[in-house]
């Protein structure tokens, strides 16, 4: 397969690196000039569980010309529409597009650019960090679930899962991936927004009885909206899952903290709590915790002059 | 009159200082050792609109022995019960107690220590700052409204208003002071909590469309609860009032920002948004914005290790 990684940040580099270890061909796509230059000149530096530097092709999305077998979408949520626009030239008759972005609502965006039978929706619990241009830091284990949006196109999904498993990415074809996507969104929707606003680690939020109360209200709203959308979610099970993740990640600052507090970048709040609040509105009920936390994050972005 | 200021922080110093300029006698009460020592040794230093240093008696509440004509309560909300305990010895048959604390729910606390016919409830828009032990900074104009809790005791209220007006504190006896107390609580309940959480000035919250949306939801909840309590409140008028204050105070960090962010002290959130959330519960409805912002402030207190 010829695989493109559309959005080669930390996670894109992990996937690109691991796929490059198989017999499949991989090309990184990104728009960050320094990152492209570093990888073109010195290769992609990997530290963490393994330490090595690999030669990998990287270019801007608009520069790619060879038709893809698979494109893995790994952009920030707000960069997704532009990326979908930019990769039009490499989408052919047999190309599949796998979305592994965090958050909710991406399928609706992708469908505006790409026919449903090409789309695979997925969710991954792999993690990765970017230490600087051309340098990814990879630690720990993970896995991923994916599903073809068009049920008649299951075979393509199984093939992609097989290829990713060859790359030691532990992919599973999932007949019902949506609950997994929502479960992960609950993790991000509780930890990201609270840690960014309270300027603290995941463990600090979860150690406070008030922090826990916030987390539970947010999960309750996510689950209510998910169920209204027809997704099979069990609130109790998700609370347990989020609590477990919080223990493993207790010393971490989630990505929204990195974006808002550390780097003064726009956050993905509209694709987490904001998406839930918007969906709830459509169903005619309110999710005040999600709505308020979205307003607070946006207020903070505006106070910091982030545009 | 012999007037005690029970809680001689910034506002207590303003009132003590201005009353000391009349023929009435004033004694400051406080528990902050450095503050007491500074005023006993060097007098109370006033800067701002006037610059002078005045000799004023100050002592701990438990050291006061002469029966009071009037005690003005100016503690932080959480120090109120201890103060009421400590001043028992100076409350005589004719003593009146005027509460000028910010926030809601104080009357219920005071009634546990002092008979209703002695209590005057009030609200002031004077401001003041404390630059350090024994040093108050006074700027701007203000006024205050007060009312006897026991309607048969109006005369005492009028006398106190007259004395405070002699002290140029522009006091008005108000036949219905509760709407004024709630209006001020709306100012504090919107500006304090948002600026403390977003670590910014009042003007920065109000310049953001998301900040404004938060403010309006909070006011809506305060007004709904106030009306349920039988207080005559007009939401539109209060929004206008809060917006006006925000313009005048746009460069200020409100007191809760000073407490939480600057000095890592416990906040008064339970007597503002927290009080509203608790009252709403009693009435059988929810005020999620007030509830959530109270949880977030408490979570931040706990993250900062404030007890």
């Amino acid at each position: 397969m010829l695989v493109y990684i559309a959005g080669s940040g930390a996670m894109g580099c992990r996937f690109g690196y691991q796929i490059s270890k198989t017999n499949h061909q991989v090309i990184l796509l990104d728009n960050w000039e320094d990152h492209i230059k570093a990888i073109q000149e010195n290769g992609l530096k990997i530290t963490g569980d393994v330490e090595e530097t690999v030669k990998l092709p990287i270019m801007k999305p608009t520069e790619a010309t060879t038709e893809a077998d698979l494109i893995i979408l790994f952009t920030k949520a707000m960069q997704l529409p532009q990326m979908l626009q930019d990769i039009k030239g490499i989408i052919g008759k047999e190309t599949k597009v796998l979305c592994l972005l965090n958050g909710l609502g991406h399928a609706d965006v992708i469908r505006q650019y790409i026919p449903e039978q090409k789309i695979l929706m997925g969710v991954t619990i792999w993690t990765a960090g970017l230490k600087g241009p051309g340098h990814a830091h990879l630690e720990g284990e993970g896995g991923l679930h994916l599903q073809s949006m068009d049920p008649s196109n299951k075979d393509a999904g199984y093939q992609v899962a097989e290829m990713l498993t060859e790359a030691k990415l532990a992919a599973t074809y999932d007949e019902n991936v949506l609950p997994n996507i929502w479960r992960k969104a609950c993790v991000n929707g509780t930890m990201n927004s609270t840690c960014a606003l309270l300027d603290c680690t995941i463990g600090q939020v979860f150690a406070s009885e008030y922090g826990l109360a916030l987390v539970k209200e947010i999960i309750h709203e996510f689950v209510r909206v998910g169920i209204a959308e027809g997704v099979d979610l069990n609130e109790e099970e998700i609370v347990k899952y989020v609590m477990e993740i919080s223990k493993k990640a207790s010393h971490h600052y989630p990505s929204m903290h990195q974006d808002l507090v550390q780097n003064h970048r726009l956050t993905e709040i509209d694709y987490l709590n904001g998406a839930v609040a918007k969906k709830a509105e459509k169903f005619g009920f309110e999710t005040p915790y999600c709505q308020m936390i979205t307003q607070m994050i946006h207020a903070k972005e505006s106070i910091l002059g982030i545009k």
Side-chain angles (χ1 to χ4, degrees), chain A residues 129-293:
Chain A
L130 212 56
K131 293 265 177 180
H135 179 186
H137 193 78
L138 310 182
E139 278 179 338
E141 288 301 307
L144 76 94
H145 285 232
L146 65 88
Q147 184 183 20
S148 301
M149 276 195 81
D150 178 350
S152 73
N153 207 15
K154 229 184 265 188
D155 287 352
Y158 273 103
Q159 272 169 38
V160 169
E162 196 177 323
M163 184 279 291
L164 292 170
T165 299
E166 259 180 72
K168 302 199 167 62
L169 285 159
T172 306
Y173 188 84
D174 189 332
E175 296 284 353
N176 188 14
V177 81
L178 273 176
N180 274 311
I181 291 178
W182 277 78
R183 192 185 294 121
K184 177 83 186 293
C186 284
V187 172
N188 292 316
T190 50
M191 298 178 185
N192 272 288
S193 47
T194 55
C195 291
L197 276 174
L198 297 170
D199 186 10
C200 66
T201 62
I202 292 164
Q204 288 180 303
V205 168
F206 281 73
S208 148
E209 62 169 306
Y210 300 100
L212 266 186
L214 281 169
V215 163
K216 286 180 182 165
E217 291 279 358
I218 292 170
I219 291 176
H220 179 73
E221 292 182 352
F222 269 68
V223 169
R224 188 173 174 208
V225 171
I227 288 173
E229 279 216 334
V231 184
D232 180 23
L233 299 175
N234 177 326
E235 185 168 343
E236 206 180 317
E237 184 266 327
I238 290 183
V239 169
K240 221 176 120 192
Y241 179 73
V242 169
M243 297 300 289
E244 271 165 30
I245 303 271
S246 80
K247 273 169 210 150
K248 285 184 208 152
S250 79
H251 294 292
H252 286 232
Y253 289 97
S255 61
M256 198 178 289
H257 185 279
Q258 292 169 31
D259 286 338
L260 187 69
V261 182
Q262 300 173 35
N263 299 311
H264 291 193
R265 281 194 298 241
L266 280 177
T267 70
E268 295 186 310
I269 193 74
D270 285 340
Y271 305 89
L272 292 165
N273 310 71
V276 168
K278 217 165 176 178
K279 284 171 188 287
E281 220 171 274
K282 208 181 62 193
F283 291 118
F285 59 85
E286 289 189 344
T287 50
Y289 272 63
C290 283
Q291 187 181 300
M292 183 178 181
I293 215 158

Side-chain angles (χ1 to χ4, degrees), chain A residues 30 78 82 113:
Chain A
D30 210 83
M78 38 290 191
Q82 184 63 50
Y113 296 83

Side-chain angles (χ1 to χ4, degrees), chain A residues 8-240:
Chain A
S8 300
M11 287 295 287
C13 283
R14 175 187 274 282
F15 275 60
Y17 166 66
Q18 292 194 218
I19 294 168
S20 79
K21 295 288 164 183
T22 67
N23 289 326
H24 301 283
Q25 199 192 336
V26 67
I27 298 174
L28 307 180
L29 302 178
D30 210 83
N31 282 303
W32 182 19
E33 307 270 5
D34 292 348
H35 193 48
I36 295 173
K37 206 172 149 220
I39 294 173
Q40 283 175 342
E41 288 178 6
N42 312 311
L44 173 63
K45 183 177 173 187
I46 303 290
T47 57
D49 293 340
V50 287
E51 311 247 330
E52 72 168 309
T53 299
V54 289
K55 275 273 159 214
L56 265 184
I58 181 165
M59 59 186 74
K60 293 198 175 182
T62 47
E63 291 166 358
T65 51
T66 314
E67 201 171 290
D69 294 305
L70 174 66
I71 302 172
I72 303 180
L73 296 171
F74 252 140
T75 61
K76 285 267 174 195
M78 38 290 191
Q79 297 158 349
L80 182 59
Q82 184 63 50
M83 181 60 84
L84 291 166
Q85 187 63 43
D86 290 349
I87 58 174
K88 276 191 166 167
I90 52 173
I91 298 181
K93 204 165 158 273
E94 296 301 322
T95 306
K96 297 290 171 284
V97 177
L98 168 60
C99 174
L100 288 178
L101 273 68
N102 273 330
L104 301 168
H106 304 310
D108 296 338
V109 176
I110 300 171
R111 250 192 300 244
Q112 292 171 32
Y113 296 83
I114 293 169
E116 186 154 309
Q117 70 268 25
K118 293 184 176 303
I119 307 174
L120 312 172
M121 294 304 296
V123 58
T124 176
I125 56 165
W126 286 102
T127 61
L130 212 56
K131 293 265 177 180
H135 179 186
H137 193 78
L138 310 182
E139 278 179 338
E141 288 301 307
L144 76 94
H145 285 232
L146 65 88
Q147 184 183 20
S148 301
M149 276 195 81
D150 178 350
S152 73
N153 207 15
K154 229 184 265 188
D155 287 352
Y158 273 103
Q159 272 169 38
V160 169
E162 196 177 323
M163 184 279 291
L164 292 170
T165 299
E166 259 180 72
K168 302 199 167 62
L169 285 159
T172 306
Y173 188 84
D174 189 332
E175 296 284 353
N176 188 14
V177 81
L178 273 176
N180 274 311
I181 291 178
W182 277 78
R183 192 185 294 121
K184 177 83 186 293
C186 284
V187 172
N188 292 316
T190 50
M191 298 178 185
N192 272 288
S193 47
T194 55
C195 291
L197 276 174
L198 297 170
D199 186 10
C200 66
T201 62
I202 292 164
Q204 288 180 303
V205 168
F206 281 73
S208 148
E209 62 169 306
Y210 300 100
L212 266 186
L214 281 169
V215 163
K216 286 180 182 165
E217 291 279 358
I218 292 170
I219 291 176
H220 179 73
E221 292 182 352
F222 269 68
V223 169
R224 188 173 174 208
V225 171
I227 288 173
E229 279 216 334
V231 184
D232 180 23
L233 299 175
N234 177 326
E235 185 168 343
E236 206 180 317
E237 184 266 327
I238 290 183
V239 169
K240 221 176 120 192

